[in-house]
Amino acid sequence: MAVASEVGELVALLRWVRNDEADAFVRQPENHARLRAEVADVAISLLLLCDRAGIDLQQAILDKLEVNRRNYPVESTRGRAERPERHRP
């Protein structure tokens, strides 16, 4: 629940920023500082969850990147908005 709460605060910061204005928005010093603080809160709560659950976050990320690499090969997914057929292991 803490992770969801912190992500909600991050989302609230960016919710009404138009996609084509997002890069400029997050580069503005005041917005950048707020974004940095919210990202830190999300990371802290996620690390606490991983510690409690016995999850090595770095290894979980590496494992998921490998799954994504297999399921969404660059040669068939680059530049495509729709989700391609998943490649099962």
Side-chain angles (χ1 to χ4, degrees):
M1 295 303 290
V3 174
S5 176
E6 295 301 344
V7 169
E9 291 179 23
L10 176 61
V11 168
L13 178 62
L14 298 167
R15 177 175 294 140
W16 304 113
V17 178
R18 288 177 28 158
N19 196 34
D20 60 341
E21 297 173 353
D23 290 343
F25 178 87
V26 299
R27 286 191 191 107
Q28 294 172 359
E30 180 181 318
N31 296 333
H32 188 270
R34 290 172 53 206
L35 179 65
R36 187 173 186 266
E38 295 304 340
V39 166
D41 286 343
V42 170
I44 290 165
S45 60
L46 185 59
L47 287 169
L48 289 171
L49 173 62
C50 288
D51 183 58
R52 246 180 123 160
I55 294 170
D56 178 335
L57 181 58
Q58 183 176 3
Q59 189 59 55
I61 291 168
L62 293 172
D63 293 346
K64 182 59 176 176
L65 287 171
E66 177 58 25
V67 168
N68 289 348
R69 185 193 64 74
R70 285 193 316 267
N71 288 340
Y72 309 105
V74 172
E75 57 277 1
S76 63
T77 58
R78 184 180 301 272
R80 300 183 75 162
E82 70 278 357
R83 288 186 82 155
E85 191 69 29
R86 291 180 76 168
H87 301 273
R88 299 286 178 204

